[in-house]
């Protein structure tokens, strides 16, 4: 049987820039996908790669990431947030800034316009079900997949009320296997493992909590699906001080992810049949000596 490769792009807000560096290293190594699956910001990266699955496309995606500012995505205003809560709204950030960027950068109108198949995943908030989009207009699907609960409003598409699929499965390995993948390469975003202080606002608190939950779920999914497909997890850069609501460090994260993925590939890790060894939860002390702390 011919191998069918899927790239799975995880969500992770600003840490999604890492996926660009990983993607560049994969392409230079001669690795391409038969189809891609993405959720949240990973869906943006997945669509862009699916439309132009070569180094030229990755270069353009890199330029987009280098131009995004935090205020474009998370224009947080305490006063406006309080007013929305007072009006019993279920979100604190107006998604119009995110929508504006998507309208400017997405290279095609419909999901079926891409050169290789792409699947965007979201969560139906009314019943917790996975909703997969493989065709139709892109922008509403991206807004739905990126609708982080409490931060952005849910998106109505057809009979569904949708939020970020990262709520339940930030690394949709199961979705890739469902579409026939025999080898799944996950481009994860990790988490801010070198944190020195507590989250400073609601947005950062929500994103930090999600990142921990999603990191743990990835380890569980690898164990669950390891006998159904070859699963390879590209290690994210470590240590990482960048917070997932800070888009000012995209260039740094892209470069680090690219260089570290190149080394990982050169060592033959992608061809190994071993079950991937994921990073355990950990922290870094002032001397940068890693202290392993298992979360039970």
């Amino acid at each position: 049987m011919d191998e069918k490769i899927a790239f799975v792009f995880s969500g992770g807000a600003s840490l999604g820039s890492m996926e660009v560096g990983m993607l560049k290293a994969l392409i230079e190594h001669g690795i391409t996908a038969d189809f891609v699956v993405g959720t949240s910001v990973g869906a943006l990266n997945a669509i862009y790669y699916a439309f132009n699955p070569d180094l030229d496309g990755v270069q353009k995606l890199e330029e987009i990431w280098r131009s995004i500012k935090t205020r474009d995505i998370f224009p947080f205003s305490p006063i406006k947030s309080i007013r929305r809560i007072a009006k019993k709204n279920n979100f604190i950030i107006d998604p119009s800034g995110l929508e504006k960027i998507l309208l400017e950068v997405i290279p095609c109108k419909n999901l079926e316009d891409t050169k290789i198949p792409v699947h965007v995943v979201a969560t139906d908030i009314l019943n917790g079900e996975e909703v997969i989009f493989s065709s139709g207009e892109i922008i509403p699907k991206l807004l739905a997949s990126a609708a982080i609960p409490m931060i952005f409003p849910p998106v109505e598409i057809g009979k569904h009320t949708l939020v970020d699929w990262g709520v339940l499965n930030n690394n949709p390995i199961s979705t890739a296997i469902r579409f026939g993948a025999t080898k799944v390469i996950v481009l994860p975003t990790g988490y801010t493992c070198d944190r020195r202080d507590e989250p400073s606002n609601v947005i950062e608190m929500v994103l930090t909590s999600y990142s921990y939950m999603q990191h743990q779920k990835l380890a569980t999914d690898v164990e669950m699906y390891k006998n159904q497909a070859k699963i390879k997890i590209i290690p994210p850069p470590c240590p990482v001080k960048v917070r997932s609501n800070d888009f000012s460090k995209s260039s740094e994260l892209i470069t680090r992810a690219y260089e570290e993925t190149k080394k990982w590939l050169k060592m033959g890790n992608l061809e190994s049949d071993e079950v991937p060894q994921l990073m355990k939860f950990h922290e870094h002390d002032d001397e940068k000596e890693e202290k392993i702390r298992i979360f039970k």
Side-chain angles (χ1 to χ4, degrees), residues 28-46:
E28 289 183 351
H29 199 70
I31 308 299
T32 57
D34 295 294
F35 69 92
V36 293
V37 181
T39 187
S40 196
V41 73
L44 166 62
N45 291 336

Side-chain angles (χ1 to χ4, degrees), residues 8-12 19 37-39 121 130 165-176 184 186-190 210-211 213-222 225 231 233 278:
V8 169
F9 294 82
S10 306
E19 296 174 338
V37 181
T39 187
V121 194
E130 174 187 35
W165 179 234
V167 170
L168 297 179
N169 188 2
N170 193 52
N171 309 277
I173 295 171
S174 57
T175 309
V184 179
V186 181
L187 289 72
T189 56
Y210 273 125
S211 69
M213 176 183 69
Q214 293 158 352
H215 189 76
Q216 183 64 48
K217 180 69 165 56
L218 176 56
T220 303
D221 283 355
V222 169
Y225 298 109
I231 301 174
I233 314 295
L278 299 177

Side-chain angles (χ1 to χ4, degrees), residues 204-268:
E204 192 178 338
M205 179 64 79
V206 171
L207 293 175
T208 299
S209 301
Y210 273 125
S211 69
Y212 292 150
M213 176 183 69
Q214 293 158 352
H215 189 76
Q216 183 64 48
K217 180 69 165 56
L218 176 56
T220 303
D221 283 355
V222 169
E223 185 64 28
M224 182 179 298
Y225 298 109
K226 66 182 181 182
N227 295 323
Q228 298 184 38
K230 294 180 181 178
I231 301 174
K232 308 305 296 185
I233 314 295
I234 300 177
C238 178
V240 172
K241 292 183 178 181
V242 182
R243 302 176 182 184
S244 49
N245 63 330
D246 180 5
F247 286 81
S248 69
K249 302 296 192 299
S250 292
S251 294
E252 171 192 329
L253 292 177
I254 291 170
T255 299
R256 286 185 60 194
Y258 168 68
E259 293 174 348
E260 294 184 24
T261 303
K262 279 188 67 175
K263 293 177 183 176
W264 183 79
L265 290 168
K266 190 175 181 179
M267 293 173 64

Side-chain angles (χ1 to χ4, degrees), residues 69-108:
K69 305 293 189 297
T70 298
R71 64 177 179 273
D72 297 333
I73 309 299
F74 299 121
F76 181 64
S77 167
I79 294 176
K80 290 182 179 179
S81 297
I82 291 171
R83 286 175 179 169
R84 290 190 178 105
I85 293 172
K87 292 179 180 179
K88 297 184 180 181
N89 287 328
N90 55 8
F91 65 96
I92 61 172
I93 296 292
D94 183 342
S96 59
L98 172 60
E99 183 175 11
K100 180 176 183 292
I101 288 177
L102 295 178
L103 287 168
E104 291 173 351
V105 305
I106 293 298
C108 51

